[in-house]
Amino acid sequence: MRKRYKLLIIIFISFILVLVIYLLCYKPKYTYLFIGANYNNLSTYDFNDQLKYNLKDQNIVYKEILEPFIIDEYREMLVNNKHNINYYLKNANLIVISIGTNELTNYKDLDSSIIIEYLNNMYQFLCQVRQLNHNDIFLINLYSSDYKLINQKIKKYTTELRIHYIDENVVGLNNSFYIKDDMYLNNKGHENISKYILSKI
């Protein structure tokens, strides 16, 4: 009988020791999900690289979904759970969505019906993301001031949904933050995005 008690005590003490060691050593994972266009010229050290480096002490897990670039396809991706996106959205500590600028700049004639459909899809997509996740979400929108109404609406949506908004005011308003006047950012532009995100999380 005494042997049995001794064995139980040893098992109990071993369990407590394992639990203490686990609690002392365990470091929860910090999941960063990036969706969209990264404005990378394929050679620069972009804002995602900078964020991953600065969050390396957080035991970071990085997941990126670099397609599609059309907003209605983003919504479809959520509905069909493509790339298991709903799981990553629900479990992310940090989400950065970069909507790119190709979708609207490719239209020769951008009429009101296209704009309305685009904005409706954008709002629905952001609502779905916010419903799935209550942590830090950032939206990068680098449409130029030529798209004033669209930019105003998207900024309004992000304010309503408590999503951090990143535009030219964060990246830099002059061409010194871009490469060849297009939507590829240079290192300084990427650094500004990274610094802004780190200041908010």
Side-chain angles (χ1 to χ4, degrees):
M1 198 72 170
R2 293 182 63 184
K3 287 184 178 180
R4 182 182 295 178
Y5 281 125
K6 285 183 179 179
L7 180 60
L8 287 173
I9 291 171
I10 291 172
I11 292 172
F12 178 74
I13 292 173
S14 299
F15 173 77
I16 295 299
L17 286 173
V18 169
L19 184 62
V20 169
I21 292 170
Y22 173 79
L23 291 174
L24 290 174
C25 297
Y26 174 72
K27 193 171 185 180
K29 292 179 179 179
Y30 186 94
T31 304
Y32 169 28
L33 173 63
F34 174 73
I35 305 172
N38 61 2
Y39 303 101
N40 195 336
N41 70 340
L42 303 180
S43 63
T44 189
Y45 186 64
D46 69 21
F47 63 85
N48 279 323
D49 295 321
Q50 294 178 32
L51 286 171
K52 285 183 284 184
Y53 176 79
N54 282 283
L55 294 171
K56 65 182 184 300
D57 293 335
Q58 301 288 335
N59 195 21
I60 186 170
V61 174
Y62 176 69
K63 171 67 177 177
E64 64 180 18
I65 299 174
L66 301 180
E67 57 168 335
F69 299 111
I70 309 293
I71 192 61
D72 59 343
E73 292 181 7
Y74 280 114
R75 291 190 61 199
E76 184 180 339
M77 184 166 57
L78 288 180
V79 172
N80 297 321
N81 198 23
K82 188 176 180 182
H83 303 301
N84 203 20
I85 187 173
N86 291 326
Y87 169 82
Y88 291 105
L89 284 170
K90 288 177 183 176
N91 292 283
N93 301 96
L94 168 64
I95 298 172
V96 177
I97 302 165
S98 178
I99 59 176
T101 59
N102 290 326
E103 183 168 355
L104 296 181
T105 54
N106 283 337
Y107 285 103
K108 290 182 178 179
D109 297 310
L110 191 62
D111 59 34
S112 59
S113 63
I114 295 172
I115 293 173
I116 291 170
E117 182 180 6
Y118 175 83
L119 290 173
N120 283 337
N121 282 325
M122 178 63 68
Y123 182 72
Q124 293 302 320
F125 172 71
L126 294 177
C127 284
Q128 288 173 289
V129 172
R130 177 46 84 193
Q131 286 172 4
L132 289 168
N133 190 289
H134 300 290
N135 294 321
D136 288 310
I137 301 174
F138 292 80
L139 178 76
I140 302 174
N141 170 30
L142 294 187
Y143 278 113
S144 71
S145 56
D146 294 338
Y147 299 84
K148 184 177 179 180
L149 174 63
I150 293 168
N151 292 335
Q152 288 175 343
K153 288 288 186 181
I154 293 176
K155 187 172 184 179
K156 181 181 177 182
Y157 300 157
T158 57
T159 301
E160 176 187 335
L161 297 169
R162 296 174 292 106
I163 294 173
H164 301 285
Y165 183 72
I166 297 175
D167 63 1
E168 290 179 324
N169 292 309
V170 172
V171 176
L173 292 172
N174 59 60
N175 289 336
S176 65
F177 296 95
Y178 300 89
I179 297 172
K180 298 178 182 178
D181 298 334
D182 59 19
M183 283 294 98
Y184 290 127
L185 299 175
N186 65 17
N187 287 337
K188 184 60 179 175
H190 283 289
E191 182 181 345
N192 288 345
I193 291 176
S194 175
K195 284 182 176 178
Y196 179 81
I197 293 174
L198 290 169
S199 73
K200 297 295 182 180
I201 61 177

